[in-house]
Amino acid sequence: MHVVVNAAVSADGKLSSRRRDQIAISGDEDFGRVDRLRAESDAIAVGVGTVLADDPRLTVKDEQLRARRRENGRSANPARVVVDSSGRTPADAAVLDDAATTYVCVSENAPVERRADLADGAELITAGEKRVDLLRAVATLRERGIERLMVEGGGELIFSLFEDGLVDELRVFVGPQIIGGRDAPTLADGDGFVAEFPTLELAEIDRLDGGVVLTWRVEDR
Ligand code: NAP
């Protein structure tokens, strides 16, 4: 499976402010780029922190891109994946609407009632005892035919994917603002690395929306 992480950060590397609400870091040109990347993907994943903070729908917005997917025998929208150990995704979350198939990856720890609630709008994948075991979840997604996975955040999930060596490519829009705040989420949070840092090779630089998009390939560890 090819895993592409895509995110927008401020010039100081923040995904959001300390309030963890959704912030317009990029603009229309970048939204178009992200939409095209979504349309090329088999599935789009986020952590439950992003669902609770932003309630994203994770669909392709451009009708022509959806039509092209249908012409190629694909669903109009890619599948959606939420990484959510204890099933905290609200039953009315936008990501559970009927625009696409949704997989919620839970751990064995997820309460039975939460599983039952979510099973209405999503297919549940159980992987891991307490926290979602990402290697196992990714293996199951591959069995469901997902070859190209786009990850849209947030910082906790992105860090864990790097920790498990699952990221092939990182595309990051770096925008023209400073957000600051020691408690504001960054591109990769989690516990952080202290050695054996994943290393990247810079593949492309594009200017848009007053910022840059950096495309990095992740080197094997
Ligand atoms: P997140 O990465 O979306 O979700 C993290 C949660 O996922 C964890 O707290 C954990 O909750 C669950 N999880 C389950 N298994 C995991 C695993 N193996 N590794 C990591 N997480 C796992 O949340 P976040 O870091 O708080 O990010 C949300 C913030 O990022 C919001 O402020 C949002 O606005 C911002 N954001 C910005 C962008 C951007 O491009 N600028 C994109 C997305 C999000 P459980 O333990 O309950 O399972």
Side-chain angles (χ1 to χ4, degrees):
M1 184 192 289
H2 187 82
V3 177
V4 184
V5 169
N6 184 84
V9 297
S10 57
D12 56 325
K14 305 295 187 190
L15 290 175
S16 173
S17 75
R18 67 172 190 275
R19 289 190 194 152
R20 295 188 169 256
D21 44 7
Q22 201 168 16
I23 289 185
I25 291 173
S26 64
D28 288 345
E29 285 181 293
D30 194 55
F31 291 149
R33 180 191 65 82
V34 173
D35 212 31
R36 289 190 293 280
L37 193 55
R38 284 183 178 180
E40 289 166 11
S41 306
D42 297 319
I44 304 169
V46 291
V48 66
T50 297
V51 170
L52 295 172
D54 302 349
D55 193 22
R57 196 162 167 245
L58 302 179
T59 50
V60 174
K61 304 296 181 274
D62 183 304
E63 171 55 34
Q64 287 184 347
L65 290 174
R66 290 201 303 272
R68 206 171 305 150
R69 282 180 57 96
R70 276 194 226 101
E71 282 158 25
N72 293 331
R74 307 170 84 187
S75 54
N77 288 296
R80 300 169 291 193
V81 178
V82 183
V83 180
D84 179 9
S85 314
S86 46
R88 291 189 292 145
T89 299
D92 62 352
V95 81
L96 296 178
D97 74 5
D98 59 8
T101 304
T102 302
Y103 299 98
V104 179
C105 304
V106 295
S107 71
E108 285 157 23
N109 220 18
V112 179
E113 324 79 70
R114 292 305 309 138
R115 287 169 184 269
D117 271 1
L118 290 170
D120 263 351
E123 183 181 328
L124 298 188
I125 293 176
T126 304
E129 271 178 43
K130 290 203 170 131
R131 235 186 174 192
V132 174
D133 178 334
L134 296 173
L135 288 161
R136 279 176 52 196
V138 161
T140 306
L141 290 170
R142 203 186 297 122
E143 286 167 14
R144 302 286 190 278
I146 291 161
E147 293 295 337
R148 200 175 161 84
L149 179 68
M150 174 182 181
V151 179
E152 294 207 27
E156 291 289 333
L157 177 61
I158 293 173
F159 175 78
S160 292
L161 288 165
F162 274 107
E163 200 174 30
D164 287 345
L166 284 167
V167 184
D168 296 293
E169 202 180 319
L170 170 66
R171 300 193 192 188
V172 55
F173 175 85
V174 184
Q177 63 280 96
I178 301 292
I179 295 178
R182 67 184 65 80
D183 295 326
T186 70
L187 183 72
D189 288 328
D191 290 335
F193 297 105
V194 291
E196 296 179 42
F197 308 105
T199 53
L200 313 172
E201 184 194 346
L202 188 58
E204 273 174 53
I205 307 175
D206 298 298
R207 290 182 77 125
L208 72 168
D209 285 335
V212 286
V213 178
L214 303 173
T215 301
W216 302 92
R217 308 242 187 278
V218 182
E219 293 181 340
D220 290 337
R221 282 207 280 167

